[in-house]
Amino acid sequence: MKRFLATCLGFVLVLSGCTFEDDAIDGGLRLRSVILSSSGCSFQAGVTADYGDRLYSFCVDCVTDQSGKLTFQVTEPETISGISGFISQGRSALTFDDEVLAFPQLTEDNISPVCAPWILINSLKSGYLTACGETENGYMLLLNDSYEEEALQLEVYIDFDLKPTYCEILWKGRRVLSMKIANFKIL
């Protein structure tokens, strides 16, 4: 019963949180529905981690499955190319030969830059939609990754074909991660 009430409350909050265009609401909800009903998705992400005094950038090929597990392989820069791993709720692992992918944590919740693609997909599937609107090239969705007081906030841009193209992840109002997303495919 609690789960049913939480789901109903979530839909009420989603619908009341979007004060802009009805098309943007529909686009965001259709994307969520497509992702939830699929067996997964694949995409490339150009990730930039912003530590305030320095930036780290890398590219990854990503594949998700229906359970929420995301596997990735670093493709750029060449110095760390080939490092792979997976991320799922509460679990992660990295595999590598000679290079180690070690980034400082971005938040008090131990968010690492390699988590960015997983945070995006997880938030599209179950995050709290706080606002949305139409842009020249599609829609913009504002999402919180959870209902926690200090949730990560995501600004996600999707095109009219409902494919994510860009995302910024903010923590306590500061951008900590951004991603350019390409070749998004539903599996």
Side-chain angles (χ1 to χ4, degrees):
M1 183 64 172
K2 283 183 180 181
R3 188 175 205 168
F4 174 75
L5 291 173
T7 301
C8 289
L9 176 61
F11 280 112
V12 169
L13 292 173
V14 163
L15 294 175
S16 66
C18 289
T19 58
F20 303 114
E21 300 289 328
D22 288 341
D23 289 346
I25 297 169
D26 292 341
L29 293 176
R30 280 185 310 187
L31 177 57
R32 177 172 284 180
S33 177
V34 167
I35 291 172
L36 286 171
S37 64
S38 75
S39 61
C41 59
S42 65
F43 59 97
Q44 283 92 39
V47 179
T48 299
D50 186 345
Y51 288 91
D53 59 344
R54 63 193 183 281
L55 299 174
Y56 291 104
S57 295
F58 58 95
C59 295
V60 288
D61 286 341
C62 302
V63 177
T64 68
D65 66 17
Q66 195 171 39
S67 73
K69 180 179 177 182
L70 180 137
T71 57
F72 67 88
Q73 181 165 4
V74 177
T75 59
E76 292 179 29
E78 190 175 317
T79 55
I80 59 173
S81 180
I83 292 175
S84 62
F86 76 87
I87 302 167
S88 62
Q89 188 69 40
R91 297 182 28 203
S92 64
L94 289 175
T95 58
F96 50 87
D97 291 324
D98 297 328
E99 299 294 326
V100 176
L101 189 58
F103 292 107
Q105 301 301 308
L106 286 158
T107 70
E108 294 169 7
D109 292 333
N110 297 324
I111 300 298
S112 170
V114 296
C115 295
W118 181 84
I119 292 168
L120 169 67
I121 297 301
N122 191 54
S123 297
L124 286 171
K125 289 169 69 173
S126 62
Y128 169 50
L129 184 61
T130 62
C132 54
E134 192 166 326
T135 68
E136 184 178 307
N137 300 316
Y139 308 111
M140 185 268 305
L141 310 173
L142 294 177
L143 300 160
N144 285 352
D145 76 324
S146 71
Y147 295 103
E148 300 294 322
E149 187 174 318
E150 291 189 3
L152 292 172
Q153 299 169 325
L154 286 79
E155 189 171 305
V156 181
Y157 292 84
I158 61 175
D159 64 21
F160 289 117
D161 293 327
L162 306 181
K163 295 179 180 180
T165 58
Y166 183 75
C167 173
E168 289 192 351
I169 301 174
L170 297 95
W171 184 67
K172 293 185 176 182
R174 184 178 78 79
R175 183 187 69 196
V176 293
L177 292 163
S178 61
M179 282 184 294
K180 291 180 182 176
I181 302 152
N183 300 319
F184 187 88
K185 294 182 179 116
I186 297 294
L187 305 176

